[in-house]
Amino acid sequence: MSAAPIGIDELLEQVRSGYRRVDAQEAYAASREGALLVDIRYQALRERDGLIPGALVVERNELEWRLDPQGSHRAPEATSHDLPVVVICNEGYASSLAAASLHTLGLHRATDLTGGFQAWKAAGLPVTS
């Protein structure tokens, strides 16, 4: 017999309990110390709202293939399982599931930005059009 289905809110709570999320200022500081910021927002949002300078843009459906250090389709930035990664979506929901998926691949330092790109922008951190 399979387990009873859970809702998305419970799933988010479960995956988020497995790591510490960061706020915009912490994400900015981490990037200045070598963490890889990964923007998984879709193109229309990036065009509308802008980009975080230096962030690696990876569509959500390609994330695991691009960040797996052992993968044949990895991005040059995906150098090790010890790489600190901050995943950024628009508002901080999809990025939590993405960070949990990266943990499953062994990227144990992956986290996500609470509030997503919108929190980054609201904090007055760098954005380019």
Side-chain angles (χ1 to χ4, degrees):
M1 181 177 230
S2 62
I6 64 170
I8 188 62
D9 294 330
E10 186 176 340
L11 178 61
L12 280 171
E13 190 176 310
Q14 284 180 12
V15 300
R16 288 173 175 168
S17 72
Y19 63 93
R20 191 180 80 74
R21 302 178 79 204
V22 295
D23 67 23
Q25 293 295 337
E26 291 170 315
Y28 181 68
S31 72
R32 303 203 31 106
E33 295 168 5
L36 179 63
L37 301 182
V38 181
D39 186 344
I40 63 169
R41 293 174 301 141
Y42 53 90
Q43 184 174 351
L45 288 176
R46 295 191 311 267
E47 289 174 357
R48 183 189 77 189
D49 294 337
L51 298 169
I52 296 172
L56 176 66
V57 173
V58 178
E59 297 273 342
R60 174 62 189 101
N61 63 324
E62 298 178 358
L63 182 69
E64 291 81 0
W65 284 266
R66 303 293 288 149
L67 290 189
D68 179 1
Q70 298 174 333
S72 59
H73 293 82
R74 73 174 182 82
E77 295 86 350
T79 55
S80 97
H81 287 96
D82 198 43
L83 179 68
V85 175
V86 179
V87 183
I88 303 165
C89 67
N90 194 49
E91 295 181 346
Y93 296 99
S95 57
S96 295
L97 299 175
S101 181
L102 294 178
H103 277 254
T104 302
L105 287 176
L107 289 136
H108 63 99
R109 296 178 71 188
T111 187
D112 76 311
L113 173 57
T114 304
F117 178 86
Q118 296 306 320
W120 178 279
K121 190 173 179 181
L125 294 170
V127 174
T128 60
S129 55

